[in-house]
Amino acid sequence: SGRRPKSRNPRDRPVEPTAGDIEHPPSDEGSDPLAGIVRRLSAWGREVAGSNATSDELSRSLKFIDDAVLEAFDAYRSRLEQGEETDELTGATQELVTVSVAVEEALKEAAREEADPGKKAEIINILSRRRSAKPKGSRRAEAG
């Protein structure tokens, strides 16, 4: 594939975002604070996907992102039931779902490069559990 270097160096970024990564919105951020947090998580996830992270680091990051997607979907449903505006949160959540797919692809590539049959089986197990746990509506978000 040529996208990733063959040697795997540990990243200097944490596997989970720090409070500083998500707390302070940029000045051009929209009006929805939750959507802003989800967008900052997406930016962090893009960094993770493009890094030289190991498959272990990527799988922990993917779990963190998937948990955030589920929470964002829950917040979306709650707002919808209360008749609140959801457009900004919807867009941010769709962006995070797209990022989760990029991290998943990086995870598959890392597992191939590490060439450990036991590790590959573990990654396949993680990804199959992840697919079965996706919230309803996430397929639509992925396609969009």
Side-chain angles (χ1 to χ4, degrees), residues 46-100:
R46 279 190 292 276
E47 281 185 37
V48 168
S51 72
N52 288 324
T54 66
S55 61
D56 285 340
E57 290 171 323
L58 287 163
S59 63
R60 285 193 301 271
S61 298
L62 188 58
K63 177 168 181 2
F64 186 89
I65 290 169
D66 283 345
D67 289 348
V69 167
L70 290 173
E71 298 223 6
F73 269 111
D74 286 345
Y76 164 80
R77 281 193 285 265
S78 175
R79 287 182 180 187
L80 207 56
E81 287 168 7
Q82 295 172 19
E84 295 177 17
E85 193 279 322
T86 58
D87 288 351
E88 211 175 326
L89 181 58
T90 300
T93 304
Q94 288 174 339
E95 184 180 332
L96 189 59
V97 169
T98 300
V99 167
S100 80

Side-chain angles (χ1 to χ4, degrees), residues 2-139:
R3 284 184 3 234
R4 300 164 64 87
K6 289 297 173 194
S7 64
R8 304 205 57 84
N9 301 320
R11 294 184 301 122
D12 57 358
R13 296 274 298 152
V15 172
E16 291 185 8
T18 62
D21 288 330
I22 59 175
E23 265 178 5
H24 306 291
S27 56
D28 63 343
E29 189 95 9
S31 59
D32 184 333
L34 181 56
I37 289 170
V38 173
R39 282 198 184 95
R40 288 188 293 284
L41 282 171
S42 293
W44 170 81
R46 279 190 292 276
E47 281 185 37
V48 168
S51 72
N52 288 324
T54 66
S55 61
D56 285 340
E57 290 171 323
L58 287 163
S59 63
R60 285 193 301 271
S61 298
L62 188 58
K63 177 168 181 2
F64 186 89
I65 290 169
D66 283 345
D67 289 348
V69 167
L70 290 173
E71 298 223 6
F73 269 111
D74 286 345
Y76 164 80
R77 281 193 285 265
S78 175
R79 287 182 180 187
L80 207 56
E81 287 168 7
Q82 295 172 19
E84 295 177 17
E85 193 279 322
T86 58
D87 288 351
E88 211 175 326
L89 181 58
T90 300
T93 304
Q94 288 174 339
E95 184 180 332
L96 189 59
V97 169
T98 300
V99 167
S100 80
V101 172
V103 174
E104 179 180 328
E105 290 304 312
L107 175 57
K108 289 176 188 173
E109 179 70 16
R112 277 193 292 272
E113 288 180 9
E114 290 166 5
D116 175 346
K119 180 65 69 184
K120 286 181 184 176
E122 183 182 326
I123 298 303
I124 289 167
N125 190 26
I126 288 168
L127 295 178
S128 65
R129 279 197 318 262
R130 179 175 182 262
R131 283 192 183 88
S132 65
K134 287 222 174 175
K136 288 186 187 224
S138 66
R139 286 264 182 254

